[in-house]
Each structure stands twice: as C-alpha cells, then as structure tokens.
Amino acid sequence: MSAPGVLAARESAHGGRNPALRQQLALAAVCAAYGVGAALGWGSPRLALVMGDFGLSAAALVAAVSCLLYARTPRCRFRPAWLLFSLSSFMAAAGNGVWGWYEVVLGTGVPTPSAADVFFLCFAPPAIVGLLVLAKRPVSRAGWVCLGLDSWLIGGSLLTLSWSLALAHTANAQGGRSVAPAALALAYPLLDIVLVSMVLALHFRRSPANRSAVNTAIGGLAMTVLCDALFTSPLLRENYSSGQLLDAGWFAGSLLLAYAPWGARRAAEAAGGPVGGPRRHPRPPRPRRPGRPPAGSITALTPYLAAAVCTLGILYSVTEGRRVDRVVVITACTVVLALVVRQGIMLLENIALARELAEKENHFRSLVQGSSDVIMIAAPTGVLRYVSPAATKVYGRDAGELVGSELASLIHPEDLGRVVHEVRRFLAARPADEPTTRIECRFRSGSGTWLHVESTVSRYEGGLIFNSRDVTERVRLQAQLQHNAEHDPLTDLPNRALFTRRVRGSLSGRRAGDRGTAVLFIDLDGFKGVNDRLGHQAGDELLVQAARRLAESVRAGDTAARLGGDEFAALIVGDGACDQTDRELQVHEIAERLRATLSQPYRIDGAEVRVAASIGVAFAEPSIDATDLMRNADLAMYRAKAGGKDRVELYAPQMQAEVVRRTELAARLRSALHDGEFALLHQPVVSLTTGRVDAVSAQARWRSAQGILFTPAEFLRVADDGNRAAELGRWLLEESVAQAAERARLGHPTPVSVRLSARLLLDRSLPPGSIEALLTRHQLPSGALIVELADSDPRISFEELEQRLAALRRLGVRIALDGFGSGYAAINALRRLPVDILKLDRGLVEGVVESTRLHKITSGLLRIARDLGMRCVADGVDLPEQVLALRAMGCTHGQGLAFSGPLDEYRLRRVLVGGEFPVPTGMPVPLLTAGIPQARSGSNSETRVPPT
C-alpha cells in the first residue's frame, strides 16, 4: 500500500475516536484551568468568592442538566438513576448558589444552619438511591440481605475509623452548642460515609450495561465525597474559605458527572454500536492477565476488609490511650454481628450451591454416560484425557483402554492430514467467530475395521472436546444414492451423466490432446422386435446380458455405459501412442470384437434370441469437447445402421456436413409448401397393347429457391417428422383432383392416380368425407380418382385400413396396391384389402428380361392378378424389350420411360390430344440370349418444369 493509502487508513481507523478524545482533553483542560485559578487565589478575593460559589453552582447545574437530558433520550438505560443524579446535582447547585448569595451578594457570612445546609444534605440521598438503581439486582432474598450487610459493614467500619480520628472530637467540640449545629456537623460526614459505602459496595456489583458511563459517574461522585470528607475534617474546616484549591475537586466531580453519559455514548458509538444496543462488530474478549484477581474475589473479601478497618479504628483509640467510645463499641459490635450473619448466610448458600452443583454434576454424568454419542476430551498434545462409556457401544473398544492413547493413532492415515489441518485452522480462529467446527473422518474400531465418524469439536481448557457419532450407515447410504444417480438401474452400468463426465475427464488434464482416446456408440439392431415378440421382460433380460458382455469385453481402464433404451457406449482411453494409424486399427479391432460379442445368440427363457450391433467410432481431436466427441460417435453409429446394420463405422468429417445439409434441407422443406415451391407432374399410364393413355400418375417435385429439382425419394428422406409427409400428401391429393377436373372440363377425362401412404389414409385429419367433399367440389366423376396404397406399415391395423378403403370404394375411388411383389406384406394386403389394381414393383420390371427367376415370379404374380380380376400396371417400364416381355405375360398397362417421363400440365395435354403412344411389335427377345441392353441417353432425366 502507498503512503497516502496508509495515512488514509489510519485516519479512517482513528476517526471514530477523535471526538471523544477531544472532549476528554477539553474537560481536563477546564478542570486544570479551574485548579490553577483556585491555587493562585483567582487574582482577587472578590473573584475567588465568585468562582468558589457560583462557579461550583454552575458546574453542578451543568451536571444536572446533562443527566436530565440524557435521561430523556430513548436509548437511555436506567433512566431513574440518571434522573436521581440530576436531582442530586441540582441540590448541590442550589446549595452553592445560596452560599454565594450570602458571601458575594450580601457580603456576610453564611449562618449555621442555613438553606444551603438543607440543599447540601439533600445531595447525598438521591445519589445513594441512584447508585442502588445502577447496581446489579440480587436474584434472591439472601442476596438483598447480603447487599445490605455489605453496605453496613463498609459504612460501620468507615464510621468507626472516622469517629476515632475526627468525628468524636467534632461531637465533643459541639457539645456546648445547640442540638441543630451538632447534628449538622455530624450529618455531613455520616452521609458521606454512607455514600462512600455505596460507592465501594456497588463498584463490584454494578450492572454490565453501559459500564463506561457508570464508572465515570461513580468516579465523579467519589471525587465529590472525597472533597466532602476533607471539608468536614477539623483541620481544613476551620481554615476553609470559598475559592480555595479544595473547590477544584468539587468542580471536577460535577464536570465528570456531566460528561459521564455523553462521553461514554460517543466511545460506544466509536467502538461500533449504539449505547444500550448490540455492537455491530463486537470485539473479542480480552484474555485475563495472569495474577490479576477477578472482581468476584475482591467482592468476597469486602466484609473481611471492612472488619479489618473497624479493628484498626479500635486499635488506634487504644494505642492513643483514649477511652473507647460507646459509639465505637456499638458500631464494632454491629459490624461483627453483621459479619457473623453474613457468613451464616453465605454458609447456607454454599451448602445449597454445593448440593445444586452435585445434582448438576450427577445430571451431567448421566447425560454423558447415557448418551449414544462418544464424548472425548483431548489434551493440546493430542492425548485423550477422558472418553465416555459410549465408546464401548460405538467403537467396540473400552473407554479406559482409549484414555491415554494418542488421537492420531486412531484416525485413518489418509484422513489424518486433513483432520490436523482443520484442527489447526480451528484453534487459530477467534472463539467468538467460530465456537465449534465439524470434522468427519474414519476411526479404527475394536474389530480393526474403519468406521465413518462425525465429530463436533469445541475448545476446552486449552484442549479439545470431541462429540462424536457413528455415521457409517449414512455414508453408505449416501454412497449408494450417489451410485444410483450415476448408474443405470437395470444393468448397473454408468449412465449418460457419469459417462459424459468421464469422457470430459479423459479430454482434460494430462490426457488433453491424446488422439488415441475414442468413444464407441453401440445400438442393438432388432431389439424392438424382441420386445414386440417376447415382451419387455425378455427385452430387459437381453439388455442385462448385453451389458455384462460389454463390461467384460472392455479393458480395465475403459468405461462401458448404457445411455438409454438399447443404446450403449464405451470409452476407450488413449495410451499416448504416437502412431495414429496403429491406434485406429487397434480401436477398430476392439469395436469389431464388441460387435461380434454382442451379436452372438442370447439365451432367454430357454429360447435363443439373436440381435446385431451397429457401432460408431469417433476419435478425440485437439480442442474437441465431450459433447462434440459423443455427437461424432452417434453420427457414425447412425451411418452404420443406414449402411446395412451389424457393422462398425468410423466417423468422418463429411458425416457432419451431411447432417448439416440434411438439416438445412429439412428446414427449407418446412416452408416450401407455403412458398409455392412444389410442382405437380404426371406420368402417363399406357396400355401395352394399344398405346392409349388410360390414366396418369401424379408425382410431386420440389423446385427449391436455388433451382434444384428434388424427387420425392430425396426430399421425403430429410423430412423431420411424419407431419411434413402428411401435409405433402394432402397437397398432392388436392392438386391432382383439381387439375384432373380442369382437364375433364377441357375434354380430357383421364383418371388420375395419387400415391398415398396407409398412415395418411388413417390420419384423422383426412376423414373419408373430406375426399368425397373434394370430389364433389371439383365435380370429378366416379372412377376418375385412383388411390395407390404406398406401403403397408406393420404397425397399421389392417382392420381399420380395410374399413377405410371400403369407404373410399363406395365413393367411386379405385384402389391400387403399389409396389406389389416387394415383400410378404404385399401378399397379406392382397389377401385382406379391397384392391382393384396391382402395380408391379420396379425391381421386378427391371430384371424381367435378363433373369429367368424374375420372369417366372412376375409371370406368376400377373397370373394371380388375372385370376382375381384385377388390372395390372407395371412401374418402371423403360425399355421396348420390357414392353414385349410384360405384354407376353399378360400385363395390360405400364408406365415408364419407354413411353414418357413425368410431364408438366402443358405437355400432358398435348399427349392427351394425340391420345396414343407407339408400342413395339414383334416377339419378345429370348431370355438368356440377349445381352444387357444399353441404357438410353437421358433415361433418368427429369422433364423440365416450365418457369412460372
């Protein structure tokens, strides 16, 4: 810190004490100036009389006003005491004022007795009562009696000593006068004795509240009493006159009483808190100095000191050869009697306290011995001084065996350093700031096992008290809860949260930048089928067995985890190898071994169940985080599933680029329908015999804002959910019906075929009435709409689908089964659904010329269609040879590039005006003798969509 900073800090630290210090210096300067003036006689007798009378009156009046104002403040405590001090000071001010009236104004001597004596005598009683108010109130009747006896012991001893020294002489000297002067002469010292007795008795019994103000007030009263005692002595009384040095004592006593409440208040505020209220920053208690007697010890010696003073007074009279006065004898007897009574009371109180202490000790011993917690007291050296009997029950060790042993030898070595550090920190802290601390460690039991012990530690006579309890079960429960929070409840493998934390740990610290670290994401192919066929209980058993195989297959330092469902993961920690190629081969071998292990048959409920595993592998790279690494492994796993399943795929950066492209494409697809980016094309369905166009197949194309033309297979693959495909299907249906109705009004009543999914047909957003309303609105005749059933999802109910298709047929809508011959589901659909048209799958048509097997399969399917009375349409007829072969098999219609590709509305109308396509004639080419036909140029090209 710089020098100006140090000065500023010092000024801020001492700024709160400067006002009080200035007031104390000012008070001392005023008192010193008055004392110097009184010692020099004030320069003139007249001024000496004024300062000795009216100066003292003014000082006492200041004290009276000061105490009165302080008593009226809301923060004042013991308001009656300060009001009595104000009244006492006012009596002193009035007495000095009357005294000055006689000496200064009237210029005569003060008569005896006078009004000044009345006021002076009224000074002591309010002060005495005020001191009683400030005293700490006794809590019992015996305490009040002891307080009165202590006051009398002090007052009697002072009376004995004063009587022996001066008061007896004063009484004898006044013996020839009247009673009033004699009583007046004795009243002053007796009241002073009582006031001194109260000051001494209450000095050790004062209330702890506002102690600084009380001490200052007692000091001012003590100064006044001392000056009164000097004034009443025969030596000074005969030569006293106003304005002498003795007046400086009364003057200082009045100013001290005036300063007491306000100076103490400023000191308390500077210390950090208001008077009578708690401090904002309490200071720690100062340690007691060695050899300094406590206040309680001096209080206990007060009666004996008083009796000693009384004895000294009697011895003084005897040694001087005087006759012991009756007053001294009576006073001494009462002092001795009071001492005996007080000792009797104290003896009874000590007996009661001893009995109470014994009861409390027995109670404490019962609590300690019956407590389930172990209480130990350790010396500063760490040696156990006391161990409660509960140690036998908690630790399994006898309490006497533990006493004398070192605490460090009982604590687990791994916890010892932490415990020692915490104990040293606790002992270095202030007791007011940290009275206790809590330590948890492992403690050696009698059987040699380690118990988890929680101890509350507090200070005790330089050592420590340990209140300890066994928390082993709680620690075990916490560990179990922590384990449950971080592990999968079914397989007991680490869950996603713990796996992510371990991946994050493997990418930080000394392993940061190790490219040998790899994450494997594993998905069980076919698990859903196991759940559907055998039930969820069998699926859970399969997951447990797969988890066991996975945990046994990874290395000791690696981590196997279950992320949820049938997804697992493995963290292969790098070994610091420099050759990245070798490391990739090694991890790839591990992944292949895991795939082979997880793909082996599972034995569940006596049955053999098979599933495969698709695994994606991603390697750590510099500056990659856990989230990105796990995402890369997830992408690689999905690429493995998309590539045929039951395989291992390594992550490549283009996978992420593909995901970004698909995400962007899906985002653009959401607004494509509303922005008018979709176009409707139609491909003619031609009779293979006549070449006449008997129907058109509606097909959607997406022309994006970038000018790219996407086929349905391309843009539906990136759709984010089924809602987008359903919305597109509804648009395709409405546009196809609208354009077909327009063509019918222009003289081209050609039926239109619309491909819809079974899920869309059962969607509540497309009820049967909506298609009827659509046909009615556009006045499309019956039979002009053909619905192609696009797929047969096994999750779709055939009963509901059959009812829906039957309702559509009642509307005059013909039903076509698309993709016939591509799977067993098509046969099931043919058996149960009301179908009018069979549409051969493109895969059968493409190889019907070259493959004898496909030729026979296609011929058989066409024979089935003829037998059922259905019309057949071949999809993907691109070559004349295919036309000849299909026509020879009995297929009636076909669509494909052999006739025309998809056409826009303008070109379609031109084709409909012509009415027919040329069909090839002749015999079909013999099978297995023709070479593979050459693909026509532009056979896969799309018909351009005219700009709109």
Side-chain angles (χ1 to χ4, degrees):
M1 185 181 295
S2 61
V6 173
L7 292 177
R10 290 181 178 177
E11 290 179 1
S12 62
H14 298 287
R17 295 181 295 197
N18 283 339
L21 180 61
R22 287 195 294 269
Q23 288 184 359
Q24 294 171 5
L25 292 177
L27 178 64
V30 172
C31 294
Y34 190 94
V36 172
L40 298 178
W42 296 104
S44 66
R46 178 74 176 177
L47 183 59
L49 292 177
V50 172
M51 295 301 296
D53 294 334
F54 292 111
L56 294 182
S57 178
L61 186 61
V62 170
V65 173
S66 175
C67 292
L68 178 62
L69 293 177
Y70 179 69
R72 293 172 60 87
T73 59
R75 294 183 178 180
C76 176
R77 302 188 64 180
F78 305 107
R79 182 174 287 108
W82 294 103
L83 290 175
L84 290 170
F85 289 155
S86 176
L87 178 61
S88 176
S89 299
F90 179 76
M91 292 300 170
N96 284 297
V98 173
W99 197 288
W101 175 264
Y102 282 105
E103 287 189 340
V104 178
V105 178
L106 300 180
T108 61
V110 181
T112 304
S114 65
D117 294 320
V118 176
F119 288 117
F120 284 141
L121 291 177
C122 291
F123 165 79
I128 294 172
V129 178
L131 290 174
L132 286 174
V133 174
L134 288 177
K136 184 190 299 181
R137 298 175 181 268
V139 295
S140 63
R141 186 179 303 174
W144 284 105
V145 175
C146 288
L147 177 61
L149 292 176
D150 290 345
S151 301
W152 170 244
L153 287 173
I154 297 174
S157 61
L158 292 178
L159 178 61
T160 300
L161 185 60
S162 301
W163 190 273
S164 300
L165 295 177
L167 295 184
H169 176 72
T170 302
N172 294 331
Q174 299 291 336
R177 301 183 182 180
S178 61
V179 178
L184 185 61
L186 294 176
Y188 282 110
L190 291 179
L191 287 176
D192 290 338
I193 288 173
V194 174
L195 189 57
V196 171
S197 301
M198 293 305 303
V199 168
L200 292 177
L202 296 179
H203 177 68
F204 303 108
R205 292 178 178 268
R206 62 187 182 275
S207 174
N210 205 0
R211 179 168 296 182
S212 179
V214 174
N215 287 340
T216 307
I218 291 177
L221 294 176
M223 180 71 72
T224 303
V225 171
L226 177 61
C227 293
D228 287 346
L230 294 176
F231 173 75
T232 55
S233 64
L235 181 61
L236 295 180
R237 180 66 180 271
E238 296 176 356
N239 300 323
Y240 173 77
S241 61
S242 298
Q244 293 183 355
L245 186 60
L246 186 61
D247 294 343
W250 282 313
F251 185 83
S254 297
L255 291 187
L256 280 176
L257 188 60
Y259 171 76
W262 307 103
R265 179 179 179 182
R266 288 184 177 274
E269 290 176 352
V275 178
R279 289 181 177 179
R280 298 175 185 172
H281 303 285
R283 296 180 180 178
R286 294 181 179 179
R288 193 184 303 275
R289 295 181 181 177
R292 183 177 179 180
S297 301
I298 299 179
T299 303
L301 293 176
T302 301
Y304 304 101
L305 294 176
V309 171
C310 182
T311 303
L312 289 176
I314 297 175
L315 291 178
Y316 176 78
S317 299
V318 173
T319 55
E320 290 293 328
R322 301 176 184 175
R323 183 174 60 86
V324 180
D325 194 274
R326 286 177 296 175
V327 175
V328 175
V329 174
I330 294 173
T331 304
C333 290
T334 55
V335 168
V336 173
L337 179 62
L339 181 61
V340 172
V341 173
R342 188 184 188 282
Q343 288 301 109
I345 294 174
M346 294 302 298
L347 180 61
L348 294 177
E349 281 194 349
N350 288 337
I351 294 174
L353 288 175
R355 186 181 299 111
E356 182 180 359
L357 181 61
E359 292 178 356
K360 290 184 177 180
E361 184 178 356
N362 291 332
H363 182 61
F364 173 74
R365 183 179 293 107
S366 300
L367 288 176
V368 172
Q369 294 181 353
S371 174
S372 60
D373 295 347
V374 180
I375 300 176
M376 301 182 296
I377 300 179
T381 58
V383 178
L384 294 177
R385 294 178 178 175
Y386 171 80
V387 179
S388 65
T392 305
K393 176 181 176 182
V394 177
Y395 297 151
R397 308 182 67 171
D398 185 65
E401 176 189 350
L402 293 176
V403 175
S405 59
E406 291 188 1
L407 187 61
S409 63
L410 306 175
I411 299 176
H412 196 282
E414 296 179 0
D415 301 338
L416 182 59
R418 175 173 52 85
V419 173
V420 172
H421 174 75
E422 176 62 20
V423 169
R424 289 177 178 175
R425 186 202 61 79
F426 172 66
L427 294 177
R430 297 190 303 177
D433 296 338
E434 191 174 4
T436 61
T437 187
R438 190 178 67 86
I439 296 177
E440 187 170 335
C441 63
R442 284 168 288 182
F443 199 89
R444 186 188 300 276
S445 65
S447 61
T449 60
W450 294 101
L451 302 176
H452 290 270
V453 176
E454 181 185 66
S455 302
T456 301
V457 186
S458 56
R459 301 172 180 86
Y460 175 74
E461 294 182 358
L464 294 172
I465 295 180
F466 292 83
N467 193 348
S468 307
R469 63 201 62 86
D470 183 11
V471 293
T472 303
E473 290 301 322
R474 190 195 70 186
V475 172
R476 289 176 181 172
L477 179 59
Q478 289 177 348
Q480 183 64 36
L481 292 177
Q482 182 70 19
H483 179 84
N484 294 341
E486 295 179 341
H487 289 75
D488 176 60
L490 178 63
T491 62
D492 202 38
L493 291 180
N495 58 13
R496 183 182 293 272
L498 179 57
F499 183 77
T500 303
R501 188 158 60 250
R502 291 188 179 178
V503 172
R504 188 178 297 113
S506 67
L507 298 179
S508 60
R510 64 182 182 86
R511 295 186 181 274
D514 186 0
R515 304 187 64 178
T517 300
V519 171
L520 280 62
F521 265 44
I522 307 166
D523 186 84
L524 299 181
D525 303 323
F527 174 75
K528 185 180 182 306
V530 175
N531 264 347
D532 295 339
R533 294 193 311 272
L534 304 180
H536 290 279
Q537 185 173 0
D540 292 343
E541 178 62 26
L542 189 148
L543 291 176
V544 171
Q545 294 185 24
R548 188 181 303 115
R549 294 182 184 182
L550 180 62
E552 293 173 353
S553 300
V554 298
R555 301 175 306 177
D558 299 335
T559 300
R562 182 192 177 200
L563 305 183
D566 60 339
E567 290 188 0
F568 294 86
L571 171 64
I572 309 299
V573 181
D575 54 4
C578 299
D579 194 343
Q580 183 66 16
T581 304
D582 294 342
R583 180 59 179 169
E584 289 182 0
L585 291 176
Q586 181 183 2
V587 173
H588 193 275
E589 291 178 358
I590 295 175
E592 285 289 350
R593 186 172 66 251
L594 288 178
R595 184 197 60 79
T597 301
L598 295 175
S599 299
Q600 293 178 2
Y602 296 85
R603 198 73 182 176
I604 300 176
D605 294 336
E608 187 177 275
V609 178
R610 290 181 177 271
V611 294
S614 296
I615 302 178
V617 182
F619 287 91
E621 298 177 358
S623 72
I624 194 173
D625 58 7
T627 303
D628 292 341
L629 181 59
M630 294 173 63
R631 181 205 60 199
N632 294 345
D634 196 19
L635 290 176
M637 185 266 291
Y638 277 106
R639 176 58 66 89
K641 293 180 71 68
K645 303 181 180 180
D646 193 17
R647 55 181 297 180
V648 176
E649 190 76 29
L650 298 180
Y651 171 78
Q654 56 267 28
M655 294 182 184
Q656 179 63 23
E658 176 67 18
V659 170
V660 172
R661 189 191 70 83
R662 290 167 62 90
T663 303
E664 294 176 352
L665 193 60
R668 295 201 303 268
L669 179 61
R670 296 188 187 101
S671 58
L673 281 173
H674 303 285
D675 295 342
E677 296 182 4
F678 275 90
L680 185 62
L681 304 181
H682 295 85
Q683 189 171 24
V685 178
V686 181
S687 172
L688 298 182
T689 304
T690 64
R692 183 169 54 89
V693 179
D694 290 338
V696 291
S697 176
Q699 299 177 8
R701 294 293 186 270
W702 176 24
R703 184 183 56 209
S704 67
Q706 289 76 17
I708 303 175
L709 193 65
F710 296 100
T711 63
E714 292 174 322
F715 60 74
L716 289 181
R717 193 166 50 244
V718 301
D720 55 349
D721 52 28
N723 295 333
R724 205 66 55 204
E727 185 178 1
L728 179 61
R730 288 191 291 269
W731 175 86
L732 179 62
L733 178 61
E734 293 179 0
E735 288 293 321
S736 300
V737 171
Q739 292 188 17
E742 180 66 20
R743 287 193 298 271
R745 285 193 293 270
L746 296 176
H748 306 293
T750 305
V752 61
S753 176
V754 181
R755 191 172 186 267
L756 299 177
S757 66
R759 181 177 297 276
L760 179 61
L761 288 174
L762 294 180
D763 193 353
R764 295 181 181 273
S765 62
L766 190 64
S770 63
I771 297 180
E772 183 179 12
L774 182 65
L775 298 176
T776 303
R777 183 170 68 250
H778 293 284
Q779 298 180 355
L780 195 67
S782 177
L785 176 63
I786 304 173
V787 173
E788 295 182 8
L789 188 62
D791 55 12
S792 53
D793 193 336
R795 294 172 293 181
I796 298 298
S797 172
F798 269 98
E799 288 78 7
E800 295 182 10
L801 184 59
E802 182 179 3
Q803 296 174 6
R804 185 61 182 275
L805 295 179
L808 290 176
R809 290 187 72 186
R810 287 194 294 270
L811 297 176
V813 178
R814 289 184 290 176
I815 306 300
L817 186 60
D818 187 35
F820 183 70
S822 60
Y824 70 91
I827 302 298
N828 192 25
L830 182 62
R831 180 176 62 88
R832 303 185 56 179
L833 299 180
V835 178
D836 302 307
I837 302 171
L838 286 182
K839 197 168 186 179
L840 292 178
D841 184 68
R842 178 182 292 268
L844 295 176
V845 176
E846 288 178 350
V848 71
V849 178
E850 296 84 2
S851 172
T852 305
R853 181 182 296 273
L854 285 180
H855 185 278
K856 293 181 179 180
I857 293 174
T858 305
S859 178
L861 293 177
L862 292 173
R863 189 180 309 111
I864 293 174
R866 288 196 306 271
D867 294 341
L868 294 176
M870 299 179 184
R871 192 175 75 179
C872 295
V873 177
D875 188 15
V877 182
D878 297 335
L879 301 174
E881 294 83 358
Q882 295 172 348
V883 175
L884 295 174
L886 291 171
R887 185 172 59 191
M889 295 179 193
C891 183
T892 59
H893 293 78
Q895 69 179 72
L897 297 180
F899 305 104
S900 172
L903 304 174
D904 56 30
E905 187 65 19
Y906 173 76
R907 296 186 180 184
L908 176 62
R909 291 178 184 178
R910 290 182 58 185
V911 169
L912 294 178
V913 170
E916 294 180 356
F917 284 98
V919 295
T921 61
M923 297 299 294
V925 180
L927 295 174
L928 303 180
T929 59
I932 299 176
Q934 298 296 323
R936 295 186 178 181
S937 177
S939 62
N940 293 323
S941 63
E942 298 287 352
T943 303
R944 294 185 175 274
V945 181
T948 57

